[in-house]
Short mmCIF file of all heavy atoms in Angstrom, two decimals:
data_model
loop_
_atom_site.label_atom_id
_atom_site.label_comp_id
_atom_site.label_asym_id
_atom_site.label_seq_id
_atom_site.Cartn_x
_atom_site.Cartn_y
_atom_site.Cartn_z
N SER A 2 29.64 3.55 58.27
CA SER A 2 29.28 2.56 59.25
C SER A 2 27.78 2.60 59.50
O SER A 2 27.09 3.51 59.16
CB SER A 2 30.01 2.88 60.57
OG SER A 2 29.46 4.07 61.07
N LEU A 10 20.14 8.94 58.82
CA LEU A 10 18.77 8.67 58.52
C LEU A 10 17.84 9.36 59.48
O LEU A 10 16.82 9.97 59.08
CB LEU A 10 18.50 7.14 58.53
CG LEU A 10 17.12 6.66 58.12
CD1 LEU A 10 16.75 7.09 56.70
CD2 LEU A 10 17.00 5.15 58.21
N SER A 13 17.83 12.96 58.69
CA SER A 13 17.10 13.19 57.40
C SER A 13 15.61 13.07 57.58
O SER A 13 14.80 13.62 56.81
CB SER A 13 17.56 12.24 56.31
OG SER A 13 18.93 12.35 56.10
N SER A 15 13.98 13.89 60.32
CA SER A 15 13.58 14.70 61.53
C SER A 15 12.26 15.44 61.34
O SER A 15 11.72 15.94 62.32
CB SER A 15 14.71 15.63 61.96
OG SER A 15 15.05 16.40 60.81
N ASN A 67 -0.20 6.99 54.48
CA ASN A 67 -0.86 6.55 55.71
C ASN A 67 -1.47 7.73 56.49
O ASN A 67 -1.81 7.57 57.71
CB ASN A 67 0.09 5.79 56.61
CG ASN A 67 0.46 4.46 55.99
OD1 ASN A 67 -0.23 3.94 55.14
ND2 ASN A 67 1.61 3.90 56.43
N GLU A 70 1.27 13.48 58.92
CA GLU A 70 1.60 14.80 58.51
C GLU A 70 3.12 14.97 58.32
O GLU A 70 3.88 14.68 59.23
CB GLU A 70 1.12 15.81 59.51
CG GLU A 70 1.01 17.21 58.98
CD GLU A 70 0.36 18.15 60.01
OE1 GLU A 70 -0.58 17.70 60.73
OE2 GLU A 70 0.82 19.31 60.11
N ASP A 92 37.35 6.14 41.25
CA ASP A 92 38.36 5.80 40.29
C ASP A 92 38.38 4.29 40.02
O ASP A 92 38.39 3.85 38.90
CB ASP A 92 39.74 6.29 40.81
CG ASP A 92 39.85 7.75 40.77
OD1 ASP A 92 39.03 8.42 39.96
OD2 ASP A 92 40.66 8.33 41.45
N ASN A 110 27.77 1.19 41.03
CA ASN A 110 28.15 2.48 40.45
C ASN A 110 27.01 3.53 40.74
O ASN A 110 27.31 4.68 41.08
CB ASN A 110 28.23 2.31 38.91
CG ASN A 110 29.04 3.43 38.31
OD1 ASN A 110 29.83 4.08 39.03
ND2 ASN A 110 28.88 3.59 37.03
N VAL A 143 40.97 36.25 39.48
CA VAL A 143 40.79 36.37 40.92
C VAL A 143 40.25 37.75 41.21
O VAL A 143 40.85 38.73 40.83
CB VAL A 143 42.16 36.25 41.64
CG1 VAL A 143 41.99 36.38 43.14
CG2 VAL A 143 42.70 34.85 41.35
N PRO A 172 28.29 14.71 66.85
CA PRO A 172 28.86 13.61 66.03
C PRO A 172 29.31 14.07 64.66
O PRO A 172 30.04 13.41 63.97
CB PRO A 172 27.67 12.65 65.88
CG PRO A 172 26.47 13.47 66.08
CD PRO A 172 26.86 14.55 66.99
N SER A 187 40.13 24.53 48.84
CA SER A 187 39.69 24.73 47.47
C SER A 187 39.80 26.23 47.07
O SER A 187 40.26 26.54 46.03
CB SER A 187 38.27 24.30 47.27
OG SER A 187 38.18 22.93 47.48
N GLN A 198 29.26 30.61 44.84
CA GLN A 198 29.17 29.19 45.14
C GLN A 198 29.79 28.98 46.52
O GLN A 198 29.23 28.20 47.33
CB GLN A 198 29.80 28.37 44.05
CG GLN A 198 29.52 26.90 44.19
CD GLN A 198 30.19 26.08 43.10
OE1 GLN A 198 31.22 26.47 42.58
NE2 GLN A 198 29.65 24.94 42.86
N VAL A 248 22.21 21.35 91.56
CA VAL A 248 22.07 22.23 92.73
C VAL A 248 21.16 21.56 93.78
O VAL A 248 21.48 21.52 94.94
CB VAL A 248 21.46 23.61 92.31
CG1 VAL A 248 21.08 24.42 93.46
CG2 VAL A 248 22.52 24.33 91.45
N ALA A 278 24.44 -4.10 129.09
CA ALA A 278 23.40 -5.05 129.45
C ALA A 278 24.00 -6.46 129.41
O ALA A 278 23.77 -7.30 130.31
CB ALA A 278 22.19 -4.91 128.54
N GLY A 321 18.28 10.99 123.04
CA GLY A 321 18.85 12.22 123.50
C GLY A 321 19.91 12.67 122.51
O GLY A 321 19.97 13.87 122.10
N VAL A 326 21.84 16.30 118.35
CA VAL A 326 22.53 16.50 117.09
C VAL A 326 21.68 17.33 116.09
O VAL A 326 22.18 18.22 115.47
CB VAL A 326 22.96 15.17 116.46
CG1 VAL A 326 23.52 15.42 115.03
CG2 VAL A 326 24.07 14.52 117.26
N PHE A 360 34.48 52.30 86.22
CA PHE A 360 33.61 53.06 85.35
C PHE A 360 33.80 54.57 85.55
O PHE A 360 33.94 55.29 84.56
CB PHE A 360 32.19 52.67 85.64
CG PHE A 360 31.14 53.38 84.76
CD1 PHE A 360 31.02 53.03 83.41
CD2 PHE A 360 30.39 54.37 85.25
CE1 PHE A 360 30.12 53.67 82.65
CE2 PHE A 360 29.47 55.05 84.46
CZ PHE A 360 29.34 54.69 83.18
#
Side-chain angles (χ1 to χ4, degrees):
Chain A
S2 66
L10 184 59
S13 302
S15 53
N67 290 340
E70 200 174 321
D92 289 341
N110 201 21
V143 179
S187 298
Q198 192 181 24
V248 169
V326 170
F360 180 74

